[in-house]
Amino acid sequence: MTMSARHHRFEALVGALLPDLYRYAYWLCRNRALAEDVVQETLLRAWRSLESLRDEKAAKGWLITILRREHARSFERFQPELVDVDEVVLPAESGDAGERAVDAAVLRRAMAGLEPEFREPLVLQVLMGFSVEEIAGVMEINPATVLTRLFRAREKLSVALDRPLQSLESEA
């Protein structure tokens, strides 16, 4: 394969998925700069191993798998930034839009409080739109385990948000 053909194939595979990759990396890292670094490393590894991707329909799962591994590698390099809680200033919100922003912030905080084994499949399903089978493939676990973790994640969210479980399932 010529370099030009390889470049076009890579751009076609990655171009549409780049926003999803960044969004997922940000959910994992909770840090914009680190998420950008993880995505950059993911793209570099994907470029190097582009020939290993046989089915282009599997590109999304392939890239997410690479991203998860890069995220795990980032723990070796990551130094957390500490912020004094007393210095944090929260903006005042008003009106209906303000209430939705607060609701979204509460939901994000509740999701962030979940253990990674429950948060990750929930983020993959809700944010990335992955099916149970795709999540199982990315996480390298059984689909039944994915279903169990998704159920428990929603259950824990309903407790954290003090809402009935049925309302969370209907929102997903």
Side-chain angles (χ1 to χ4, degrees):
M1 177 183 298
T2 68
M3 185 58 88
S4 176
R6 184 176 187 201
H7 181 73
H8 288 298
R9 180 179 182 217
F10 186 76
E11 280 190 7
L13 290 172
V14 173
L17 299 175
L18 197 54
D20 288 340
L21 290 173
Y22 175 76
R23 190 171 41 244
Y24 183 59
Y26 183 76
W27 266 96
L28 290 175
C29 302
R30 299 281 182 232
N31 177 305
R32 291 185 193 280
L34 185 57
E36 289 170 3
D37 289 346
V38 168
V39 169
Q40 190 67 31
E41 289 296 320
T42 298
L43 296 177
L44 182 60
R45 286 196 187 268
W47 173 259
R48 288 180 184 156
S49 60
L50 187 59
E51 287 77 30
S52 70
L53 179 64
R54 302 287 178 230
D55 182 9
E56 294 186 9
K57 294 176 186 171
K60 188 174 186 178
W62 179 67
L63 288 167
I64 290 292
T65 300
I66 294 171
L67 190 139
R68 287 181 74 237
R69 291 181 179 149
E70 282 306 312
H71 175 252
R73 284 186 193 96
S74 72
F75 285 112
E76 299 168 4
R77 306 180 295 264
F78 179 67
Q79 295 294 321
E81 180 181 323
L82 302 177
V83 177
D84 187 2
V85 176
D86 295 331
E87 296 177 11
V88 174
V89 178
L90 298 175
E93 297 281 345
S94 63
D96 191 37
E99 288 178 23
R100 282 194 306 268
V102 169
D103 287 345
V106 168
L107 181 58
R108 280 194 303 272
R109 195 171 23 254
M111 285 180 71
L114 292 173
E115 296 90 352
E117 69 180 293
F118 300 117
R119 181 179 60 236
E120 189 170 9
L122 187 63
V123 168
L124 283 170
Q125 184 184 53
V126 174
L127 187 65
M128 303 296 291
F130 276 37
S131 69
V132 170
E133 291 76 22
E134 291 171 324
I135 296 168
V138 167
M139 296 183 69
E140 299 174 345
I141 59 177
N142 186 307
T145 305
V146 171
L147 287 170
T148 301
R149 289 183 184 181
L150 287 170
F151 176 79
R152 289 187 181 154
R154 286 190 180 94
E155 193 174 48
K156 289 173 182 278
L157 279 179
S158 71
V159 169
L161 298 172
D162 195 34
R163 295 171 68 182
L165 182 59
Q166 292 78 18
S167 68
L168 287 176
E169 288 175 344
S170 66
E171 292 173 13

